[in-house]
Each structure stands twice: as structure tokens, then as C-alpha cells.
Amino acid sequence: MDPEELELQNDYRYRNYAAVIEKALRNFESSSEWADLISSLGKLNKALQSNLRYSLLPKRLIIGKRLAQCLHPALPSGVHLKALETYEVIFKIIGTKWLAKDLFIYSGLFPLLGHAAMAVKPVLLTLYERYYLPLQRALLPSLQAFITGLLPGLEEGLEVYDTDALLVKLSLLVGQQVFFGALWGSVLVTPMVRLPASVFVVTHFDRMAPLTQQAHMLGYGHRAVIKSVCLSLQDSNVLVQRNMLEVLLYFFPFATCLDPAEPSIALSDEDMITVVSAASLTLLRRDMSLNRRLYAWLLTDIKGGMVAPHPTLSTTMEEHTTFYFNTFSKDYLALINILRQKEVDSDPESVISYLRPFRIIIFLLDKPEIPAVLGCVMLEVVRAFHRYCLEMLGEENGTKSGHSANQLAKVKENKNASEIIKTVNMLVSSLDSEYLWEYMTRCFCDKGDPPMPVEQKYCQPAPSVTEMSNLIMFLLDVLPLELYADIQSIFLPDMLCTMLQSLHRHMDSISPDDITQGLRACFKVLSKIQMP
């Protein structure tokens, strides 16, 4: 109990005041209809005003509880308006000092705006402006909850009161950096406010001003912003995704975020990869507005112009986008992370979660600047394909001796595994017909060394000859070779010849088990050859 309240307990007039309020509160216990609640609130108002000499209310915890109950969404607007009237009576009595101290007691107001009727909203917002905003930095303990309560007022078509102006005033009173830190916290934990919050950020970002002058819009730390943006990019509402791509486009352009001279918005490699992986999920929407913003972020600078153009290569926009992608964003288009999206899916048993990574890569191949990245991780694509198919059957990730005919038959017969095969086949079809087999042959002949330079961000365990042999046999058995012209009659004979030469050349440096499994792979290639 507050020391001041303890002192007041010795005042018989204060005790009488408490008794009057307690009697008024008992009326709520016998209320059975909403009309009874209005009557009970009226009696409580009279009790509160019966002794105005005391700014410290007795029984205030119970009062706060009853008022919050009167704001339930199922109750009519008449009850809500009467409850707001009671709140105003209380705020006039207790003043700024006790409102700041007991802010948590009256926080039952905050959820009301999201479901309030049109007649209630202006009354509530006037209450906020009249009594809450004067608290200024005393609002900080409840700031995030307050902002979460205000954001639903930004819904489209609301013309009764300018909630946007109220939020702007609040940001100036508590400090803009503090305000936006709380706003991003709301986005992180409350999905229902992601749309109005993203609208507020996009609306108030000045595209013509330097990013460093608006760093306060990222709050105190990038970590919370990154988490909030990544969750919002996976939101079911396409407008939330669109606004968050706008945030990426204007707040986190690659050329600026990777510049050590821009410490206010510079991100680590890990953060950039995390954001790019989340942003790539928007491709699954097949929404042109989302795709346009994603590719603008990956391929151009903040205003769509040329950032640090190459003196000889960037003479056209096409050349510039290629240069920009290769220079700034290529290393962060983490297809490895995309292939792992299945592992963090909310429904890991769903076949959709297995198809998602391959579909994203297929969509990315639409842009001519991007396929070059695929060469760095093609082996991981094949590994994921192999792993996912076996997981669908509940099998382990391959065996030392390869796959039995029974296993492969199960893969082809399994409905979910066949969906994965069809999707991967679409991916292979979008490349040159011989690309996959040439790639796998080079991996096999290099004894596990990747056939292309691989950036450190993409590095995975180097494959052994046995693993490459198993992967080649798996692909030959599950992919429909007859769909690709000249593969079986021209390219597979060359592939067999190259593999045999490589095995012969490395006979002394690899183990007998590797030689055995390599020969099995060669026999599998031989069995698929069809001479013209």
C-alpha cells in the first residue's frame, strides 16, 4: 500500500469515502444485462464525485478491473461510452501524478480502439489526448501497450479522428527513437497491428532525406527491427508484405547497409542473409507488386538509379542491375537458407513445406541476373531433393550402398514424394537440358571439390565419391530422362566415359568402397543410355 494511502486510512472521512465506493462497486456483482452495467457505472460516478478532496482513489484496483470488463467487445457501444465517462471522471479527480503512478490500473482502455464503434472512437481518442499525452515520458512503462492500442485507429476509411496526428504527437513527446522502438516491439509480438504499423512507417519515411537523418525510425537496435520485418514478410496479409518490402527498399539498400561509413544502418552478414531469406518467401505469393519491390531491392539502389556504376560495364539499366547484383546483393541471396526453410516450417509434415524451397528458386530464375548464384549451391539443391524424398518415406538420409530398388519404387509411388519430384523436374527444365548432368559429373570427377568457386557463406561439407555416386544414381532413377532431348543418346555416354576416366585416374588415392560405389554409379549411367 502507498505510504500516502496508509496515512489516509486514519482519516474517517476517507474511510467513509471508501465505503461509499465499495457499495457502488457491489452493484456490478448483481448486474445481469448490459442495461444494469450502465446503471452501475452511473452509481459509481456519483460515488467517485461524492468527495473530491482526495486525489487518491480507494479500491482503485477493483475499479480498474470493473471498467475493463465494461469495455468487452461483446457489449454495446452504450456501455463503452458510459465506461469512458467514468474514466474521465477518474482522470479529473486523480490528476497527472496518480495517473502516471497507476497507469497499469487503467490500461484496460488500450484494447478498445480495435473493436470500438464509430461513436466511441472519437471519445476514446479525445480522452487519450487530454489525459495521456500530458504524461509525456511518464508513459514509458506502458508505451508499447499504448501504441498497440492506438495503431488499429489507422485503419483505412476512419475519418472521425486523425489517429495518425495523435501518434506523431506521442512520438515527439516521448522521443522519436523511443517511440519507434516501442512500435517495432508491437509489430514483433502483435500480428494484428502489423498492417497499420507498417503503413505508419512507410507514410512517415522521407524518401528524399538521407537515411542517417531517419535512423531514429529503427528504434534503439536493428535486432528487433530485423525480427519484426522477417515475421511481417511471412504475414498472411499481402499489404503487410508489400509495406515491409518498402521498408527494406528504403531503409536497408545493400549498397548502404554494407558500407562501414554508414554505422547507423549497417547490418552484419548474418542479418542480411536472414532478411533476404525471409524476403524471398514473398515470391510464393506470385504477386507482381511484391515481386517488383523484391527485385528492386535486390537489383537496384534506393531510387532505382545507379549506385557506384562500373565505368565501362554499367552503360544501360540491364548492365547496371547485373553489376549491382554481383557487387552488392549476390552473396546475400542465401539459397542455402532458402533450402532450409522447410526445417523451420510450422507444419513440417506438410508437403507444401518441402516444395516451398524449390518453388522459390524456380521463381528467382525468372531474373537473368540471378541464375549465376544457383551454380554455387546446385549440389545443395540436389542434396535437399534427395533428403526430402527419403524423409517423406520416413527413411534415413541415404545409405553407404545406395538405394534399393524397393526404396526407389516407394519414392515414385508416394504421392508427396512424387510432388517433390515434379517440382524439382520443373526446376531442372528451366535450366539448360544438360546443365544438371554436367554439374554432377564435374562434382564426381573433382572428388568432392565443388565445380565452381563457392563463397564462404555457401560452404557445406564437401561430398565424397560415395555420396556423389548415390546422388547420381538417385537422380537417374527418379527424374524422367526421356523429357530431355539427347540426354540419353548423347550426353550420358560422354558422362560415363568421363566418370570411368576419373575413377581410373584416382584409383590409387580413393578407398575401395568409393571405387565400388563409383562403379555402381557408372553401371547405372550405362543402364540409362539409349543409342540412337
Side-chain angles (χ1 to χ4, degrees), residues 43 64 68 138 156 228 243-244 270 272 349 367 399 429 452 468-469 494 509 514:
K43 292 175 182 178
E156 188 176 357
S228 301
N243 288 333
M244 284 304 165
E270 181 182 355
M272 289 300 295
E349 300 302 320
K367 282 292 179 180
T399 61
S429 300
M452 293 182 170
M468 287 307 308
S469 300
D494 291 340
S509 60
D514 283 341

Side-chain angles (χ1 to χ4, degrees), residues 65 99 112 158 227 241 315 379 407 412 484 492 504:
K65 179 180 178 180
L99 178 57
L112 177 59
L158 182 60
K227 289 181 179 179
Q241 293 178 308
T315 56
L379 180 58
Q407 273 184 315
K412 292 180 180 180
Y484 306 101
L492 288 188
H504 182 266

Side-chain angles (χ1 to χ4, degrees), residues 263-276:
S264 60
I265 55 174
L267 298 181
S268 66
D269 289 351
E270 181 182 355
D271 287 338
M272 289 300 295
I273 290 174
T274 299
V275 176
V276 173

Side-chain angles (χ1 to χ4, degrees), residues 58-73:
K59 309 295 180 182
R60 57 192 184 278
L61 284 173
I62 300 177
I63 291 173
K65 179 180 178 180
R66 296 302 181 212
L67 289 177
Q69 290 171 338
C70 289
L71 298 178
H72 192 278

